[in-house]
């Protein structure tokens, strides 16, 4: 059986991604074969084409960390799935293809509230949001949480998850359009940080107390400035650096607040402790079913449009998650 794959052939950015025809390997113990219906792009996919992500696969490698489809074959010893089941899957690479060989531990039944395109765009960002907020940030109902980049994939998911967990959500975005996404996802307050001082607005919205928890996928000056609106014993979660800068936190100020800064790598959370990762994922799915959580999809592309889709992510010309539809 042949597999049509969007394959990064050199670490020179999106232009090095080509459509290739590869033969599928024989299934090993614990693996399943999924006929992919849709895959989704995440910022790490773009970084990997440059060799700039923490995980650095050697070319050639298939692009895509997550997707959704239907199981068409089972490897030895796989018992929790059946052929014909609709599932979503996650991993480090390989989603943007007509077929995906996945470890059964990376596959989950599709939530009944999601279609294939939404399910494809769901796992990475919502798992990141849940692990960050619930497991690393220990968010409690009634706390105030500041979420940056709320119009992006992780930011939008974090707004939805935080609201479902009972938090008071303050969101920042770089445009009115992105702010509207945050509002639709449940944000109580939305701040356009290009037009206003977000720290001042956060202090006003919290009665001068500040945010109990800050979730930041942006880094740089946004991360630095977040310290000025952090509550006593507040926590800052760093989940990414979309700005291209790591930031430079004033540790003396952080200490004066008895605050903490916590790094989040949601994928490693589950890989290093599979049991904890599965528990977190199940809890997140339960929250999804209860509150109807869903990603905001900005644009759907065809597999042959993978290069412009990645470039649109690089130039930020598309708002929300980008989905690759796998037509046959």
């Amino acid at each position: 059986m042949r597999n049509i794959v969007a394959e990064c052939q050199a670490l020179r950015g999106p232009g090095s991604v080509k459509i290739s025809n590869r033969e599928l390997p024989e299934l090993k113990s614990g693996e399943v074969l999924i006929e992919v219906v849709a895959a989704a792009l995440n910022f790490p996919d773009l970084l990997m084409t440059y060799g700039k992500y923490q995980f650095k696969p050697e070319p050639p490698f298939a692009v895509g960390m997550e997707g959704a489809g239907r199981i068409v074959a089972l490897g030895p010893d796989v018992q929790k799935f059946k052929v014909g089941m609709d599932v979503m899957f996650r991993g480090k690479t390989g989603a943007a293809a007509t077929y995906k060989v996945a470890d059964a531990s990376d596959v989950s039944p599709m939530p009944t509230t999601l279609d294939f395109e939404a399910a494809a765009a769901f796992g990475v960002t919502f798992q990141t949001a849940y692990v960050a907020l619930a497991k690393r940030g220990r968010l409690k109902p009634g706390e105030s949480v500041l979420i940056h980049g709320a119009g992006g994939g992780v930011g939008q998911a974090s707004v939805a998850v935080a609201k479902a967990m009972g938090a008071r959500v303050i969101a920042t975005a770089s445009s009115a359009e992105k702010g509207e996404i945050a509002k639709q996802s449940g944000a109580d307050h939305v701040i356009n940080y290009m037009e206003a001082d977000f720290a001042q607005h956060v202090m006003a919205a919290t009665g001068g107390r500040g945010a109990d928890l800050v979730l930041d996928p942006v880094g740089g000056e946004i991360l630095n400035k977040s310290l000025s609106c952090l509550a006593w014993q507040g926590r800052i979660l760093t989940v990414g650096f979309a700005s291209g800068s790591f930031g430079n936190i004033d540790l003396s100020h952080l200490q004066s607040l008895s605050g903490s800064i916590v790094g989040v790598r949601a994928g490693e959370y589950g890989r290093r402790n599979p049991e904890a990762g599965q528990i977190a994922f199940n809890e997140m799915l339960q929250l999804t079913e209860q509150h109807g959580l869903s990603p905001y999809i900005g644009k759907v592309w065809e597999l042959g449009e993978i290069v412009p889709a990645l470039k649109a992510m690089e130039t930020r010309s598309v708002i929300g998650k980008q989905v690759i539809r796998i037509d046959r």
Side-chain angles (χ1 to χ4, degrees):
M1 188 181 290
R2 308 296 290 182
N3 193 17
I4 309 301
V5 181
E7 193 173 68
C8 181
Q9 298 180 347
L11 301 179
R12 294 194 295 266
S16 62
V17 177
K18 310 294 181 184
I19 302 300
S20 303
N21 192 324
R22 301 290 182 184
E23 188 167 348
L24 280 167
E26 187 175 332
L27 290 180
K28 299 176 184 177
S29 178
E31 292 182 336
V32 301
L33 179 64
I34 300 167
E35 185 179 50
V36 183
V37 176
L41 295 178
N42 293 276
F43 200 68
D45 294 314
L46 173 65
L47 295 179
M48 276 189 262
T49 68
Y50 286 104
K52 293 182 178 180
Y53 190 54
Q54 293 100 323
F55 172 64
K56 296 178 172 60
E58 289 292 329
F61 62 88
V63 175
M65 301 172 67
E66 61 180 337
R70 187 166 288 116
I71 292 179
V72 293
L74 303 173
D77 304 321
V78 176
Q79 297 179 349
K80 67 175 183 175
F81 296 109
K82 294 181 180 179
V83 170
M85 286 183 66
D86 295 339
V87 295
M88 55 187 187
F89 61 89
R90 57 202 182 276
K92 294 181 177 180
T93 60
T98 51
Y99 293 95
K100 166 67 176 176
V101 175
D103 191 288
S105 62
D106 293 330
V107 179
S108 302
M110 271 176 48
T112 58
T113 54
L114 302 178
D115 60 19
F116 280 110
E117 291 174 359
F122 181 81
V124 170
T125 52
F126 275 81
Q127 180 73 340
T128 297
Y130 188 79
V131 168
L133 293 167
K135 302 303 181 181
R136 302 292 287 142
R138 303 190 182 280
L139 179 64
K140 302 178 184 65
E143 286 192 312
S144 294
V145 55
L146 171 62
I147 296 172
H148 292 303
V154 170
Q156 181 267 331
S158 297
V159 169
V161 169
K163 192 63 181 175
M165 291 179 66
R168 183 184 187 190
V169 181
I170 306 168
T172 73
S174 61
S175 70
E177 190 177 4
K178 291 180 179 179
E180 186 59 33
I181 293 173
K183 194 175 296 183
Q184 292 175 15
S185 299
D188 298 289
H189 301 273
V190 178
I191 305 162
N192 184 334
Y193 66 80
M194 300 297 289
E195 298 178 351
D197 185 323
F198 75 80
Q200 289 183 5
H201 279 265
V202 171
M203 296 305 288
T206 58
R209 185 175 183 279
D212 298 295
L213 188 66
V214 176
L215 185 144
D216 176 39
V218 181
E221 192 56 36
I222 295 293
L223 176 61
N224 298 345
K225 195 171 183 179
S226 296
L227 198 56
S228 62
C229 58
L230 189 67
W232 168 253
Q233 292 188 329
R235 299 92 71 199
I236 296 176
L237 303 170
T238 63
V239 299
F241 306 97
S243 68
S245 170
F246 294 121
N248 186 18
I249 282 284
D250 182 345
L251 293 179
S252 65
H253 190 178
L254 185 68
Q255 184 187 37
S256 73
L257 293 170
S258 195
S260 58
I261 183 165
V262 181
V264 179
R265 283 194 68 192
E268 285 301 304
Y269 179 86
R271 278 188 284 272
R272 290 176 182 266
N273 189 335
E275 183 179 359
Q278 192 59 54
I279 289 171
F281 197 76
N282 290 342
E283 290 173 353
M284 187 262 292
L285 290 180
Q286 186 176 25
L287 205 66
T288 299
E289 296 277 5
Q290 291 172 346
H291 296 273
L293 305 184
S294 183
Y296 180 88
I297 297 174
K299 186 168 181 177
V300 178
W301 307 76
E302 303 299 328
L303 183 60
E305 299 175 309
I306 187 76
V307 171
L310 286 164
K311 288 182 176 178
M313 179 177 291
E314 189 166 33
T315 59
R316 305 187 188 208
S317 58
V318 173
I319 297 173
K321 288 294 290 280
Q322 298 189 80
V323 170
I324 307 297
R325 182 170 46 218
I326 313 298
D327 287 334
R328 287 167 172 79

